[in-house]
Structure formats: C-alpha cells, structure tokens
Amino acid sequence: CPRKFTCEGFCFIIEVNGDYWHANAITSLSSTQAKNKLRDQKKEKSLHKNGWNLIKIWERDIDDGEKVGNHIKNSILSLIEI
C-alpha cells in the first residue's frame, strides 16, 4: 500500500515495487510483467497530472537503509528546487 505525504505544498507518494512483478531491470517480460509495467506507467502519468510526485523504491534496495534514505531525501530536495 503506497504511503502519501505532503511537505510544504509538495505532494509525493513513496512506493516500494517488487523487482519481479514490476520488471525492474528485466529485458524479457512475461505478459503479466508487461501489463504491470504498462499499468505502472499509466498510474505514474495520472499521479503527475493530479499534482503528485512518485518516489519509487525497488525491492532489491529496501534492505539498504542509507541508500533508500538518500534516494528519498534527494527526490524531495529535487521537488523543492523545481
């Protein structure tokens, strides 16, 4: 379940995606993965259109708290600089 946050007028969602089901770095996709990837692209476009920014965390990175923390921090800072 994605978590939704706001920060001084900036709306963002932090989402953790499974590497397999969301086809992270997979070049040969199953039909299910292809559907999921297309659904993810549509969702991201809709979120952006409605003023939300998506911060995506991949399953393979979740155990590296420093990497994930830096990714979230840098993503938020890039929103503030826009």
Side-chain angles (χ1 to χ4, degrees):
C1 169
R3 299 290 181 221
K4 299 175 184 175
F5 302 92
T6 58
C7 177
E8 297 181 31
F10 298 98
C11 300
F12 58 95
I13 293 174
I14 298 173
E15 182 175 73
V16 178
N17 282 340
D19 292 321
Y20 178 79
W21 292 110
H22 295 271
N24 185 22
I26 297 173
T27 55
S28 179
L29 304 178
S30 71
S31 62
T32 300
Q33 290 168 315
K35 285 188 244 179
N36 289 346
K37 195 167 185 120
L38 181 60
R39 184 190 65 221
D40 288 345
Q41 291 168 347
K42 289 179 181 179
K43 175 185 63 184
E44 289 175 34
K45 185 177 180 180
S46 176
L47 287 170
H48 186 71
K49 182 180 175 183
N50 288 292
W52 287 91
N53 296 280
L54 179 64
I55 301 173
K56 189 180 295 187
I57 308 296
W58 287 103
E59 173 188 9
R60 70 176 179 200
D61 298 326
I62 201 69
D63 289 332
D64 187 343
E66 184 175 350
K67 181 177 182 178
V68 170
N70 284 332
H71 176 62
I72 293 170
K73 178 183 78 173
N74 292 334
S75 296
I76 293 170
L77 289 175
S78 73
L79 294 175
I80 293 170
E81 293 174 0
I82 293 176

